[in-house]
Amino acid sequence: PQHAGISLLRVLLGFAVGAGAGLALGAAMGLSRRVDDHVRPLFTAIAQVPALAWIPLAMLLLGIGETLKIVVIAKAAFVPVAMNTSAGIANVPRALVEVGETFRFSPLQMLRHVVLPGAVPPIFTGLRYGLTHAWIALVSVELLASSEGLGYLLVWGRQMFWLDTVLVAMIVIGIIGFASDKLLAAVEARLQRWRTDGV
């Protein structure tokens, strides 16, 4: 339980940072063609480098403490969240936008009542992918640079030939990841009740 709690806290912190930054950048890219034109080339280049490939450089700059783990997890979550948020906002159906224009919504009202509700499905797809990538990054960075956590248990169990420890750690990672994904799916379903309520 102690190792699972440590890993879960790392994922929550890293995912919060990465997803928050991804939502902000993705929204800016989706809402502004100018921002998208200036940012997308650099963003695409960064996105092509897997989070795990950043670990050696991050170790040189940040050491092997908690900051390293949070940064690697955040980067893993950041890319899919930003990509899906940008695509979701940019591809909101024109019919919905026209409804907002008919009611003469202000830009803020258009964002709140039309753009964001219309972009909920791709945004949450990005969040769910981001959470999955965050768990993968967590286990990988704990395998390489940690003395606690579920990834560390996998390494320790392998070194000591404790197959039961390795299997239990894998099962716990799977259960927590599955539960986290289901939680996001439930939140998404709640936010999309207007789709069924309006039928």
Side-chain angles (χ1 to χ4, degrees):
Q2 178 184 358
H3 289 284
I6 291 170
S7 292
L8 183 58
L9 179 60
R10 287 170 176 165
V11 166
L12 291 177
L13 290 175
F15 178 74
V17 172
L23 287 170
L25 180 62
M29 293 169 64
L31 293 170
S32 172
R33 178 63 62 86
R34 179 176 297 181
V35 172
D36 187 74
D37 290 341
H38 284 83
V39 173
R40 186 166 293 278
L42 178 60
F43 172 78
T44 302
I46 293 174
Q48 298 306 311
V49 182
L52 304 185
W54 291 91
I55 293 179
L57 176 61
M59 283 182 174
L60 291 176
L61 298 176
L62 305 173
I64 60 173
E66 289 300 306
T67 303
L68 167 70
K69 300 169 184 61
I70 301 304
V71 167
V72 172
I73 294 168
K75 194 277 176 184
F78 168 75
V79 171
V81 173
M83 291 180 64
N84 282 272
T85 300
S86 173
I89 290 177
N91 294 315
V92 170
R94 180 62 190 169
L96 295 179
V97 177
E98 290 175 353
V99 170
E101 292 173 347
T102 300
F103 284 98
R104 297 184 179 181
F105 283 171
S106 67
L108 184 59
Q109 289 175 319
M110 186 72 76
L111 178 65
R112 179 180 177 184
H113 297 294
V114 177
V115 175
L116 290 181
V120 163
I123 288 175
F124 268 85
T125 298
L127 289 172
R128 293 169 74 175
Y129 276 123
L131 186 59
T132 300
H133 289 190
W135 272 105
I136 294 172
L138 165 84
V139 174
S140 301
V141 76
E142 285 184 345
L143 286 171
L144 297 173
S146 184
S147 59
E148 53 190 359
L150 294 172
Y152 165 75
L153 278 186
L154 290 173
V155 175
W156 184 248
R158 177 186 61 81
Q159 292 176 342
M160 301 301 294
F161 296 98
W162 293 341
L163 181 59
D164 55 343
T165 299
V166 173
L167 291 176
V168 169
M170 292 173 62
I171 291 171
V172 171
I173 291 170
I175 290 174
I176 296 177
F178 178 80
S180 302
D181 182 74
K182 286 299 183 182
L183 177 61
L184 282 178
V187 174
E188 178 185 4
R190 184 175 181 83
L191 290 176
Q192 292 196 84
R193 284 187 304 174
W194 64 274
R195 290 177 177 267
T196 56
D197 291 344
V199 175

